[in-house]
Amino acid sequence: MHGDGLGSETTEEVEPQKQRVIYVNAPQPVKYCYNKICTAKYTILSFLPKFLFEQFRKYANIFFLFISLLQQIPNVSPTGRYTTAVPLLFILSVSAVKEIIEDFKRHRQDDEVNNRKVLVLRNGVWTSLKWKEVVVGDLVKVINQQYFPADLILLSSRQFVFFFTDLPPSNFGFNFLTFIILYNNLIPISLQVTLEVVKFIQAIFINWDLDMYYEETDTPAMARTSNLNEELGQVKYIFSDKTGTLTRNVMEFKKCSIAGIVYGNNEDLEESFNDMSIIENLKKKHVTAHVIQEFLTMMAVCHTVVPERRDEDDNDDDGIVYQASSPDEAALVKGAKLLGFIFKTRTPEAVTIQAMDKDEKYEILNVLEFTSTRKRMSVVVRTPEGKIKLYCKGADTVIYERLDEKQLYRDITLQHLEEFATQGLRTLCIASAEISEDFYEDWKHTYYKASTSLQNRDRKLEEAAELIERNLQLLGATAIEDKLQEGVPEAIYNLAKADIKIWVLTGDRQETAINIGYSCKLLTQNMPLLIINEHSLDSTRNTLRRHVQEFGDLLRKENEVGLIIDGQTLKYGLSCDCRQDFLDLAISCKAVICCRVSPLQKAELVELVKDSVKAITLAIGDGANDVGMIQAAHVGVGISGVEGLQAACASDYAIAQFRFLNKLLLVHGAWSYYRLCKLILYSFYKNICLYVIEIFTAAPPLAMGLFDRICSSESMMKFPALYKSSQNAELFNVKVFWMWIFNSIFHSILLFWFPMLALQQDIAYSNGQVGDYLFLGNFVYTYVVVTVCLKAGIEISAWTWLTHLAIWGSIASWFIFLAVYSHVYKFVDLAPEMLGMDRQVYGCSLFWMGLILIPFIALIRDIAWKAYKRTMHKTLKEEVQEKEKLHEDPTPIVLKMTKKRLTETARLLRNVFTRTSQNRMPPSTEQPHGFAFSQEEHGVLTQAELIRVYDSTKKKPEGL
């Protein structure tokens, strides 16, 4: 990351920090870090020591190194001196190649970012430099639609910014060592190689997946590491940023209610407002025409938007571009323009609009700014007719409290608001009031005193605003769609069905975050909300403990409750006194939204859950302020979005859209976990049966690790509940591991003693000839190869031609090898004792009888156990597998097996929080109307101050 830790999102007003002096466009007396980013792990010089350090932190590699050293002791090793050293060297070589390839991709991405160009003022001339050449104190010109090259301090909204970067044994001892060496292969060294190869190829499968390719930006999915594939299948908590991750940060004016009439019935259309009947009613002097006129005027006048022209010499209205701190305000102004009320110019004193082809100038007397406490904003204007009017827009709850008693459209507008809310739209109520000259003259002095007050200024301004924002006349309501990324609601719904808990961590206001929560289906209309906004440590502690007690026995269990907490409260909640209560409360809720949080708090939350809950965590974001939490989580996913590539470069996996997370987890994650579990268990199984023949059984675990699957990708995406088996580690745990170990020991006993007893009780040939130890050994080896390959067939769920090739090819390869190896001595001085062994073995009738009976006897218990489980205790996975084989729809059985029943305690808890949440609102507004306003608060310049210094009629400077 660039910078010294100052993020773009804030929790509260910035606390005092250490000050430092920066010399603008001049050498710095203090040396600062470079602007070059590096997310790669290695350099040419550091590769070997860092790689070896990383590899020998693994217990398996330390063990095999120890064994290979023991094998160098004369008269101790019963095996060759290099039987472990050579495979270990091969393992390290494969791992090194994999690390080099993955790190090369990181270097290539770093170079792409570092070598981007930006204009920098050097020696009085704007010079195009690479990002990595920019230094602290440089003046930088960032052109529209360009990425910022570093953390920047804004000097001009159009032209100039500068930035700063930051940053001796006895005989018993000999026998014991011999025993260790002899049986070290019970821990399969081939497993290391197989795992590295399988994980690497699994990562390639992710990169090649066309379902995760975003054509619009030509961005494929990228696995930047292959070491975490199995953890993608075990994710329990997802921590997500909002802006740019869940949303496109694009607002569209969709509907409105004016004088009790709804306009804009275009639910199924992608484009914005298109109902021109509103203009027809205005032109035809409909009974509501005067309200329509007032409503549209208010949309064009009541805001802090700044108009700019693409070409300053072009007076065409189509060339106007609206710059707004609130995307909601921009949407309303664009909506007004679409309906013929065009906001054209802003000066420090007034705004000019074109209303139905007629220019009108409104003098801006006062701007009463939006705050999260007021939940509304107003402007006091002098109209072209000389009247003083107040235009106000805000949340329905606060507007309705300030309406005059006589209202024609109160109830019908409220009904429309509820309809808009059920469609996931962000709403605002629109109202106006005419102000008398005398009242205004008195009030403006009160407001001036409040605005110049040195103590409690915000409170006094709110009190002054209350005096004038009263006796309002309701005009109607607007409905804005906050454009989510495509497929986000469906993705979140599916992830929740997979028992994955989703926490949204955002720097936005609480209301905005809640709106998005409803839009993306993280919150549902029937879900009670626990909203915690406290301003002290004591009140936070008391509130958390009260809610913890309300949960009772359901604490730390998932409940249909949403937790909403702001950054100020979170600061206290993460303190030592409250930390455990906050965690207990949070993990008891199905959805958590943390608002106004800083980048540091995002990382702290991830660390808290990762360390305390012992569950696999995943963090996903798209901006530099998300890097901390991405690196703190077990798995980091970066979105290549409009905020740059910092998050993608710092992540383990990079995708272009949030919806691709579904397939990354539910398909690739679950498949990878399933395959690697089978691979590990089967590798131990075959090695314990008889490790010497592992070369002939290496293909089945590879086939398992690469091509086996629980169910088809379509079923994995359609039925997220299938993810739970990997998430809950049902396929690989202590119990499962030892069941496989005991089963392999049982098989190894049968596979050795059955051939031994058969040859002791009967003669091998009719002429009375018997075989030696090599003859018996080849019997055993053959039966082991056949048995372990058939065992692989029993365990494999998805048969492909490659699976068939791996299993039947492994069996055939042993028979071919024995036939060839038995004649090698004729050509090479090697294995004279094996000469003619193929004729002895293949010519023995006992061998062929045993080939049918012994593997069958060894595996009959496995077959019977599998048949019993699939008949009497069928899992969801097995039900879906059977339906897929029959080409039937598994939906009915999935719905039946995943249906949840509420316990009596859960019902009581739900009633408690539902009642609590409803008590926060008036009875007439029980529906959670998400109101649309996301304007920045507590900035260095307030919006009112900003528009007082802006004059869109003047040309902008072209240089310093």
Side-chain angles (χ1 to χ4, degrees):
M1 287 180 63
H2 305 300
D4 62 345
L6 290 173
S8 59
E9 295 177 352
T10 58
T11 305
E12 63 236 27
E13 294 183 28
V14 179
E15 297 178 359
Q17 299 185 10
K18 286 185 177 180
Q19 293 185 352
R20 56 182 182 175
V21 178
I22 301 296
Y23 293 87
V24 180
N25 203 27
Q28 306 299 320
V30 179
K31 185 177 181 181
Y32 296 104
C33 63
Y34 298 107
N35 195 43
K36 181 179 179 180
I37 68 161
C38 181
T39 62
K41 291 170 63 176
Y42 308 108
T43 64
I44 294 175
L45 293 177
S46 69
F47 175 76
L48 191 60
K50 286 183 72 173
F51 171 75
L52 292 176
F53 175 74
E54 289 291 332
Q55 292 300 312
F56 285 105
R57 290 172 64 186
K58 300 176 182 177
Y59 294 126
N61 286 345
I62 295 174
F63 172 77
F64 291 130
L65 178 63
F66 173 67
I67 294 298
S68 62
L69 292 175
L70 288 182
Q71 288 176 334
Q72 309 310 309
I73 303 174
N75 303 321
V76 170
S77 176
T79 61
R81 297 179 65 184
Y82 305 108
T83 53
T84 301
V86 171
L88 178 60
L89 184 62
F90 179 69
I91 289 171
L92 295 176
S93 300
V94 171
S95 299
V97 170
K98 181 178 75 71
E99 288 290 314
I100 289 171
I101 293 173
E102 290 179 351
D103 211 53
F104 175 74
K105 293 178 182 177
R106 296 189 194 101
H107 276 290
R108 193 165 57 184
Q109 280 192 323
D110 290 345
D111 290 341
E112 182 183 337
V113 174
N114 289 326
N115 291 321
R116 285 179 175 172
K117 296 295 186 70
V118 68
L119 292 174
V120 179
L121 191 66
R122 292 282 174 89
N123 301 319
V125 178
W126 290 111
T127 307
S128 179
L129 296 180
K130 296 177 180 178
W131 282 15
K132 63 183 179 182
E133 297 172 341
V134 180
V135 298
V136 173
D138 273 342
L139 283 167
V140 179
K141 181 191 286 187
V142 181
I143 299 170
N144 193 25
Q145 303 301 318
Q146 280 189 343
Y147 290 123
F148 289 146
D151 287 343
L152 307 171
I153 293 177
L154 186 65
L155 299 184
S156 167
S157 64
R158 177 81 175 223
Q159 297 293 334
F160 313 107
V161 290
F162 79 92
F163 82 101
F164 42 87
T165 57
D166 294 326
L167 309 336
S170 61
N171 287 337
F172 173 79
F174 272 99
N175 292 337
F176 179 68
L177 293 178
T178 300
F179 174 82
I180 291 176
I181 295 170
L182 184 61
Y183 285 96
N184 85 86
N185 278 59
L186 293 179
I187 301 174
I189 193 168
S190 63
L191 177 60
Q192 289 285 92
V193 180
T194 309
L195 280 175
E196 293 289 347
V197 171
V198 164
K199 285 185 175 185
F200 183 70
I201 296 176
Q202 285 176 345
I204 293 175
F205 287 166
I206 292 173
N207 297 343
W208 286 353
D209 192 336
L210 292 179
D211 289 340
M212 294 195 292
Y213 169 73
Y214 191 48
E215 187 175 2
E216 190 174 314
T217 57
D218 189 26
T219 307
M222 176 177 288
R224 291 169 52 82
T225 180
S226 59
N227 297 326
L228 302 174
N229 296 344
E230 70 278 15
E231 293 194 353
L232 288 173
Q234 299 173 275
V235 172
K236 186 66 178 176
Y237 289 87
I238 291 177
F239 299 87
S240 175
D241 177 42
K242 182 190 75 69
T243 306
T245 302
L246 299 179
T247 69
R248 307 177 197 175
N249 206 23
V250 175
M251 309 292 181
E252 289 284 354
F253 176 60
K254 283 287 186 180
K255 293 188 175 188
C256 62
S257 169
I258 306 176
I261 301 174
V262 172
Y263 299 95
N265 297 308
N266 54 344
E267 290 91 343
D268 301 327
L269 300 176
E270 285 296 322
E271 63 268 17
S272 57
F273 191 94
N274 68 340
D275 188 350
M276 293 297 112
S277 62
I278 187 173
I279 301 300
E280 293 175 8
N281 286 346
L282 181 60
K283 290 180 177 179
K284 293 179 179 179
K285 304 298 182 181
H286 187 270
V287 66
T288 62
H290 69 286
V291 182
I292 296 173
Q293 178 84 24
E294 191 81 339
F295 186 97
L296 296 178
T297 300
M298 184 272 175
M299 285 177 60
V301 171
C302 181
H303 53 75
T304 57
V305 175
V306 172
E308 289 186 353
R309 294 186 180 273
R310 294 190 185 95
D311 185 349
E312 294 183 356
D313 296 324
D314 184 7
N315 292 321
D316 186 3
D317 293 334
D318 292 335
I320 298 177
V321 177
Y322 296 120
Q323 305 291 347
S325 65
S326 164
D328 308 276
E329 284 207 319
L332 291 177
V333 174
K334 290 175 185 175
K337 179 183 177 184
L338 186 69
L339 295 169
F341 284 68
I342 304 170
F343 171 48
K344 297 181 68 174
T345 61
R346 179 183 291 282
T347 66
E349 298 81 22
V351 297
T352 302
I353 68 170
Q354 186 182 66
M356 305 299 291
D357 300 324
K358 177 185 175 183
D359 284 355
E360 296 179 354
K361 185 177 180 180
Y362 290 81
E363 183 183 352
I364 304 297
L365 302 177
N366 301 93
V367 178
L368 308 180
E369 290 198 73
F370 170 88
T371 68
S372 53
T373 304
R374 282 170 38 78
K375 298 183 180 178
R376 64 192 183 279
M377 75 89 62
S378 303
V379 294
V380 182
V381 302
R382 190 178 296 277
T383 68
E385 295 80 21
K387 296 179 180 179
I388 297 177
K389 283 191 176 182
L390 178 133
Y391 290 124
C392 184
K393 62 185 179 186
D396 50 2
T397 50
V398 297
I399 298 296
Y400 268 63
E401 290 171 357
R402 290 159 178 80
L403 293 179
D404 190 37
E405 290 183 3
K406 297 179 181 179
Q407 297 293 324
L408 296 176
Y409 321 113
R410 178 194 294 266
D411 295 336
I412 187 64
T413 303
L414 190 60
Q415 182 182 331
H416 293 160
L417 282 167
E418 291 175 358
E419 292 174 4
F420 297 159
T422 57
Q423 296 166 24
L425 300 175
R426 297 153 60 89
T427 59
L428 281 175
C429 276
I430 306 295
S432 67
E434 191 166 328
I435 311 296
S436 68
E437 287 283 354
D438 293 339
F439 180 84
Y440 179 73
E441 285 300 320
D442 290 339
W443 177 84
K444 75 177 183 180
H445 295 299
T446 305
Y447 184 78
Y448 178 77
K449 288 179 182 179
S451 64
T452 55
S453 175
L454 298 179
Q455 293 182 335
N456 301 318
R457 180 174 177 270
D458 290 343
R459 181 176 60 81
K460 290 179 180 178
L461 282 172
E462 287 182 18
E463 291 172 352
E466 288 284 354
L467 297 175
I468 199 170
E469 292 173 329
R470 58 172 61 178
N471 300 324
L472 303 177
Q473 292 296 319
L474 182 65
L475 302 176
T478 61
I480 292 175
E481 181 183 17
D482 186 357
K483 285 283 188 180
L484 292 170
Q485 285 188 15
E486 182 185 346
V488 165
E490 295 79 8
I492 287 181
Y493 178 79
N494 285 336
L495 292 170
K497 284 287 185 183
D499 271 2
I500 297 175
K501 293 188 177 182
I502 300 172
W503 293 25
V504 174
L505 315 180
T506 176
D508 279 344
R509 295 181 307 99
Q510 182 172 287
E511 292 80 8
T512 306
I514 293 175
N515 290 334
I516 295 298
Y518 284 114
S519 299
C520 69
K521 297 184 180 179
L522 179 64
L523 305 176
T524 61
Q525 299 291 351
N526 297 322
M527 179 185 286
L529 300 184
L530 249 173
I531 300 178
I532 305 178
N533 296 323
E534 302 297 337
H535 302 288
S536 69
L537 179 60
D538 289 339
S539 61
T540 301
R541 185 193 302 112
N542 295 335
T543 302
L544 290 175
R545 287 181 180 173
R546 184 179 76 251
H547 289 312
V548 164
Q549 291 170 359
E550 288 172 341
F551 273 96
D553 295 338
L554 293 177
L555 192 67
R556 297 184 73 92
K557 299 176 184 176
E558 183 177 304
N559 303 278
E560 288 289 327
V561 177
L563 174 64
I564 316 296
I565 188 168
D566 69 345
Q568 178 72 15
T569 310
L570 191 62
K571 183 178 76 172
Y572 302 122
L574 292 175
S575 64
C576 295
D577 285 1
C578 306
R579 198 178 186 89
Q580 191 58 50
D581 285 338
F582 167 72
L583 180 66
D584 290 342
L585 193 62
I587 63 178
S588 302
C589 298
K590 184 173 183 179
V592 178
I593 298 178
C594 301
C595 320
R596 306 298 292 166
V597 293
S598 66
L600 181 60
Q601 283 180 316
K602 289 183 179 184
E604 279 186 294
L605 281 166
V606 175
E607 290 280 5
L608 175 64
V609 175
K610 184 172 76 169
D611 296 339
S612 304
V613 184
K614 306 300 180 186
I616 299 298
T617 58
L618 180 148
I620 179 170
D622 72 316
N625 54 341
D626 302 315
V627 169
M629 73 170 181
I630 285 173
Q631 293 179 333
H634 291 100
V635 181
V637 178
I639 289 185
S640 306
V642 296
E643 291 192 31
L645 297 173
Q646 293 98 325
C649 289
S651 65
D652 303 305
Y653 300 89
I655 55 178
Q657 295 276 286
F658 182 88
R659 69 178 186 273
F660 297 155
L661 194 62
N662 254 26
K663 190 162 191 187
L664 186 65
L665 299 188
L666 302 182
V667 178
H668 289 286
W671 280 2
S672 296
Y673 172 82
Y674 176 78
R675 290 164 173 172
L676 291 173
C677 288
K678 285 290 184 70
L679 187 159
I680 293 169
L681 294 170
Y682 179 76
S683 295
F684 274 96
Y685 162 81
K686 74 182 184 65
N687 274 48
I688 290 173
C689 282
L690 193 60
Y691 69 82
V692 176
I693 51 81
E694 67 181 50
I695 189 173
F696 298 104
T697 55
L702 272 174
M704 283 182 173
L706 293 175
F707 307 114
D708 199 16
R709 61 176 188 254
I710 304 172
C711 301
S712 67
S713 61
E714 291 77 14
S715 292
M716 296 298 294
M717 294 286 285
K718 188 176 181 180
F719 309 116
L722 292 168
Y723 184 79
K724 295 179 187 178
S725 61
S726 62
Q727 183 188 63
N728 298 327
E730 294 175 7
L731 301 176
F732 190 86
N733 51 51
V734 174
K735 179 183 175 182
V736 171
F737 177 78
W738 284 110
M739 284 176 63
W740 275 75
I741 295 299
F742 288 136
N743 193 39
S744 60
I745 293 172
F746 172 68
H747 284 183
S748 64
I749 292 171
L750 296 181
L751 292 169
F752 176 76
W753 284 105
F754 272 34
M756 170 72 81
L757 294 174
L759 291 175
Q760 282 183 349
Q761 299 299 321
D762 203 348
I763 56 176
Y765 301 99
S766 57
N767 61 5
Q769 182 181 350
V770 295
D772 57 6
Y773 74 96
L774 289 174
F775 183 71
L776 170 63
N778 282 295
F779 268 50
V780 173
Y781 290 172
T782 305
Y783 298 157
V784 169
V785 170
V786 173
T787 302
V788 298
C789 287
L790 292 177
K791 171 66 173 174
I794 293 172
E795 295 301 325
I796 283 175
S797 298
W799 284 81
T800 65
W801 70 269
L802 288 166
T803 309
H804 282 286
L805 179 64
I807 291 175
W808 309 120
S810 295
I811 295 173
S813 66
W814 166 251
F815 281 87
I816 295 169
F817 172 79
L818 181 59
V820 173
Y821 195 60
S822 298
H823 299 278
V824 167
Y825 184 66
K826 295 178 181 179
F827 308 100
V828 183
D829 187 13
L830 179 67
E833 68 279 4
M834 287 293 292
L835 186 62
M837 184 58 67
D838 59 328
R839 289 194 299 271
Q840 295 181 45
V841 173
Y842 297 159
C844 178
S845 58
L846 281 177
F847 168 79
W848 295 107
M849 183 177 70
L851 185 62
I852 297 171
L853 293 178
I854 292 176
F856 176 75
I857 293 170
L859 294 172
I860 187 64
R861 191 199 65 82
D862 300 68
I863 296 170
W865 174 248
K866 189 167 187 176
Y868 169 75
K869 280 188 66 181
R870 278 188 169 269
T871 304
M872 305 301 294
H873 302 285
K874 201 176 295 184
T875 64
L876 177 64
K877 172 193 73 175
E878 290 157 355
E879 290 278 10
V880 175
Q881 285 174 349
E882 289 187 9
K883 293 295 182 182
E884 283 185 345
K885 288 174 183 176
L886 296 172
H887 302 288
E888 296 178 0
D889 183 11
T891 303
I893 193 69
V894 172
L895 293 176
K896 181 181 177 182
M897 295 184 72
T898 57
K899 187 176 181 180
K900 289 185 178 180
R901 294 182 179 178
L902 279 177
T903 64
E904 188 60 31
T905 313
R907 285 194 184 93
L908 290 172
L909 180 68
R910 187 170 183 172
N911 290 336
V912 167
F913 287 121
T914 302
R915 187 168 60 250
T916 304
S917 63
Q918 286 180 349
N919 287 341
R920 294 192 183 98
M921 298 182 183
S924 62
T925 57
E926 290 181 1
Q927 283 284 352
H929 310 145
F931 76 89
F933 222 100
S934 55
Q935 187 165 292
E936 185 61 38
E937 302 173 50
H938 310 303
V940 177
L941 271 180
T942 66
Q943 294 300 307
E945 291 171 330
L946 177 65
I947 63 173
R948 292 297 188 190
V949 297
Y950 199 93
D951 191 342
S952 64
T953 62
K954 295 181 179 179
K955 287 191 175 183
K956 294 180 177 57
E958 293 300 325
L960 284 173

